[in-house]
Amino acid sequence: MGKVGEELTEQETAIYDRQIRVWGVDAQRRLSKSHIFVSGLKGTVIEFCKNIVLAGVGSLTLNDDRLVTEELLSANFLVPPDENVTRGKSLAELCCESLKDFNPMVSVSVEKGDLANFDVEFFQKFDAVVISCCSLLTKKSVNAKCRNLPRRIAFYTVECRDSCGEIFVDLQNYSYSKKKKEETIECQLQYPSFEEAIAVPWRSLPKRTSKLYFAMRVLERFEVLEKRNLQDNSADDLPNVLKLRKELCEAQCINESQIPVPLLQRLLAARVEFPPVCAIIGGVLGQEVIKAISGKGDPLKNFFLFDAMDGKGIIEDISG
């Protein structure tokens, strides 16, 4: 990941001096030569972009052709609430202009087009790919494209609904080092793809598995069946979602109580993101990408779920 052999410039060393003291010169060198692709610029992803630009990645490519709406502004502090500024510009273009001001050392650019239409070779130039605001089919497809490349590319999906958030991580066959007392230990992890992970039978998962994990899978399935996007859901969909919950729980041999009705109601009614939740999820995602690029520290495997109602962040290893 990144061009490890290239040294930091004097300017980079001076600017990133504080974080070099935290994670070392080698980690910062890898980070400064890395290339990140991000698609779907909602509040959680905006927080992530801010964090990695400040951390000093080599380049950040943004993809989101949507025009600005009031809902998109709810948790996006990069877009000025001025119609004269936003008129005729895509979300990616507006965020690009703002992110450049955070760290002039980072190259920030825009890639126009539909995420689902980018071919395998397009992703070859990136070290990490982060996607949000897209269909289940697109998540599976982009993950598969990243896996079909000759070199390993870190892949992440992130979603924030109401006061809940979910991160999925696929680092494929990943080696890293960590310190234990005075000793450095080399570790290795094997990750499943997104498609493989969500196909793991629910009845085989531990009873303590996060209820939010199951609820997110029900809504994913509902959106596929109804051929709709997240933003099209509403509280009126609850009867049909509960019917689907019953069918899935019966097929997967788990109790419906594992997917509480109040949780589904909250997720369905979500129209805007909560900035504090975006900050938490975006912060965790930023840390995970930095770990993956630097090769230092225990990476998350493979789901992170957060619900502000209980304030808990839970890591679930759903690998089959």
Side-chain angles (χ1 to χ4, degrees):
M1 292 220 162
K3 298 176 181 177
V4 182
E6 295 183 14
E7 297 297 326
L8 292 173
T9 65
E10 288 186 14
Q11 187 179 10
E12 287 173 324
T13 303
I15 290 177
Y16 305 130
D17 174 68
R18 184 174 297 178
Q19 55 206 51
I20 286 173
R21 298 183 191 188
V22 175
W23 54 54
V25 174
D26 182 60
Q28 187 62 48
R29 180 170 59 242
R30 290 171 180 265
L31 197 62
S32 296
K33 310 307 174 186
S34 65
H35 305 287
I36 316 298
F37 174 80
V38 173
S39 180
L41 300 177
K42 291 187 72 177
T44 305
V45 176
I46 292 302
E47 288 282 354
F48 163 74
C49 290
K50 176 209 60 175
N51 292 337
I52 60 166
V53 165
L54 290 174
V57 296
S59 73
L60 174 64
T61 302
L62 307 176
N63 168 246
D64 197 323
D65 293 342
R66 292 177 297 174
L67 298 179
V68 174
T69 63
E70 188 173 338
E71 287 179 4
L72 291 175
L73 283 174
S74 64
N76 190 330
F77 54 82
L78 294 180
V79 178
D82 183 345
E83 290 186 5
N84 294 323
V85 176
T86 61
R87 187 179 295 114
K89 292 184 178 179
S90 70
L91 201 54
E93 289 170 326
L94 292 164
C95 292
C96 179
E97 293 173 8
S98 297
L99 283 168
K100 287 178 179 178
D101 294 333
F102 279 83
N103 188 349
M105 295 289 293
V106 177
S107 172
V108 186
S109 62
V110 172
E111 184 71 40
K112 293 184 177 182
D114 186 341
L115 173 63
N117 293 334
F118 294 144
D119 60 19
V120 175
E121 286 70 29
F122 170 79
F123 296 101
Q124 173 69 42
K125 54 183 174 285
F126 300 107
D127 297 294
V129 170
V130 177
I131 64 174
S132 183
C133 311
C134 60
S135 68
L136 177 61
L137 180 61
T138 299
K139 290 177 184 177
K140 291 178 179 179
S141 173
V142 173
N143 190 193
K145 290 171 184 175
C146 290
R147 280 180 156 255
N148 284 334
L149 290 164
R151 69 187 187 93
R152 182 177 59 81
I153 294 176
F155 172 83
Y156 305 82
T157 69
V158 58
E159 295 296 343
C160 189
R161 302 182 187 225
D162 190 72
S163 55
C164 301
E166 177 187 79
I167 298 171
F168 168 78
V169 181
D170 177 15
L171 302 182
Q172 301 179 42
N173 189 15
Y174 180 67
S175 301
Y176 67 101
S177 61
K178 68 175 181 178
K179 283 191 175 182
K180 190 174 183 181
K181 296 182 180 179
E182 299 300 317
E183 187 181 4
T184 299
I185 302 173
E186 296 300 321
C187 307
Q188 191 167 42
L189 290 174
Q190 186 70 42
Y191 285 74
S193 68
F194 183 68
E195 184 168 11
E196 291 168 338
I198 64 172
V200 173
W202 293 357
R203 60 182 174 275
S204 70
L205 299 177
K207 290 184 178 180
R208 60 162 184 78
T209 300
S210 168
K211 292 177 170 59
L212 179 56
Y213 172 78
F214 295 120
M216 294 291 280
R217 306 288 76 81
V218 171
L219 291 185
E220 274 179 351
R221 182 62 180 160
F222 176 73
E223 287 157 11
V224 168
L225 292 173
E226 296 294 321
K227 297 180 180 178
R228 64 168 64 171
N229 298 316
L230 163 64
Q231 60 268 24
D232 298 326
N233 293 339
S234 73
D236 294 337
D237 293 314
L238 184 61
N240 289 331
V241 169
L242 291 179
K243 180 182 177 183
L244 178 61
R245 179 190 70 159
K246 185 175 186 298
E247 293 172 358
L248 291 174
C249 287
E250 288 177 352
Q252 296 279 358
C253 300
I254 71 166
N255 195 295
E256 288 181 59
S257 63
Q258 283 290 92
I259 314 173
V261 175
L263 176 57
L264 289 172
Q265 288 176 316
R266 285 168 49 211
L267 295 176
L268 279 172
R271 303 300 299 175
V272 297
E273 295 174 291
F274 287 80
V277 176
C278 293
I280 292 169
I281 303 297
V284 171
L285 182 56
Q287 290 174 351
E288 290 306 313
V289 171
I290 289 171
K291 285 185 205 173
I293 292 171
S294 67
K296 292 187 177 181
D298 288 306
L300 187 159
K301 183 174 186 281
N302 53 345
F303 283 89
F304 175 80
L305 300 121
F306 177 81
D307 188 343
M309 292 295 285
D310 58 20
K312 292 180 181 179
I314 300 172
I315 295 173
E316 297 285 8
D317 183 353
I318 300 177
S319 304

